[in-house]
Amino acid sequence: MKDLSNNINPAVSLAAAVRTAAANGTGVDLQGYESATVLVDVGAEGDTLSSSVHFEVSLEESDDNSTFTDVVQADIIDGTIAAGGIFLKLDGTTGGDPDSAGGIFRVGYVGNKRYVRVVLAKTGTHSNGTPLGAMVVRGSARHSGDNAFTAHNA
């Protein structure tokens, strides 16, 4: 088996938490990497998601980690991105239904900006919330030392 662990470097953009409100993730620096994949980890929905109670997850990019703009379709792979940079709508329908099992959703970023971040928007009242977090997995490091990682043991 080949080693993947020493060839990627994950970074949290949106810390995992039970979400009831909109949130802007932290910008993740892609300098020194040639590839990135965004993973959104969603737990069992705490509120029944629907067309009137849902979350929209979008991706933004920046040159300076200050001024962000929406990522467009030409800058992603393995997904479809709508106006506003939205690549995931958690609304209880096919493709956006974490249900009681939860799910992991992903999209690849192939743009040319230095920073990306995940943004969460909400529609409707989310009384109980839904566990949700997002990370950016950086890969194809230009220098082998860029993937330095400290393991945490339980």
Side-chain angles (χ1 to χ4, degrees), residues 36-117:
T37 296
V38 176
L39 299 174
V40 179
D41 186 4
V42 183
E45 59 188 59
D47 300 291
T48 302
L49 300 177
S50 66
S51 61
S52 60
V53 177
H54 62 267
F55 288 107
E56 291 175 324
V57 184
S58 60
L59 187 60
E60 294 181 339
E61 61 187 0
S62 172
D63 285 320
D64 60 7
N65 201 25
S66 178
T67 303
F68 283 86
T69 58
D70 298 330
V71 171
V72 297
Q73 185 66 46
D75 292 332
I76 66 154
I77 58 171
D78 294 333
T80 302
I81 204 159
I86 299 166
F87 69 91
L88 174 61
K89 186 174 183 179
L90 297 167
D91 62 357
T93 62
T94 302
D97 187 6
D99 199 24
S100 61
I104 295 177
F105 304 87
R106 74 175 190 186
V107 67
Y109 177 74
V110 294
N112 61 1
K113 302 292 185 181
R114 180 170 172 179
Y115 299 89
V116 294
R117 74 176 180 184

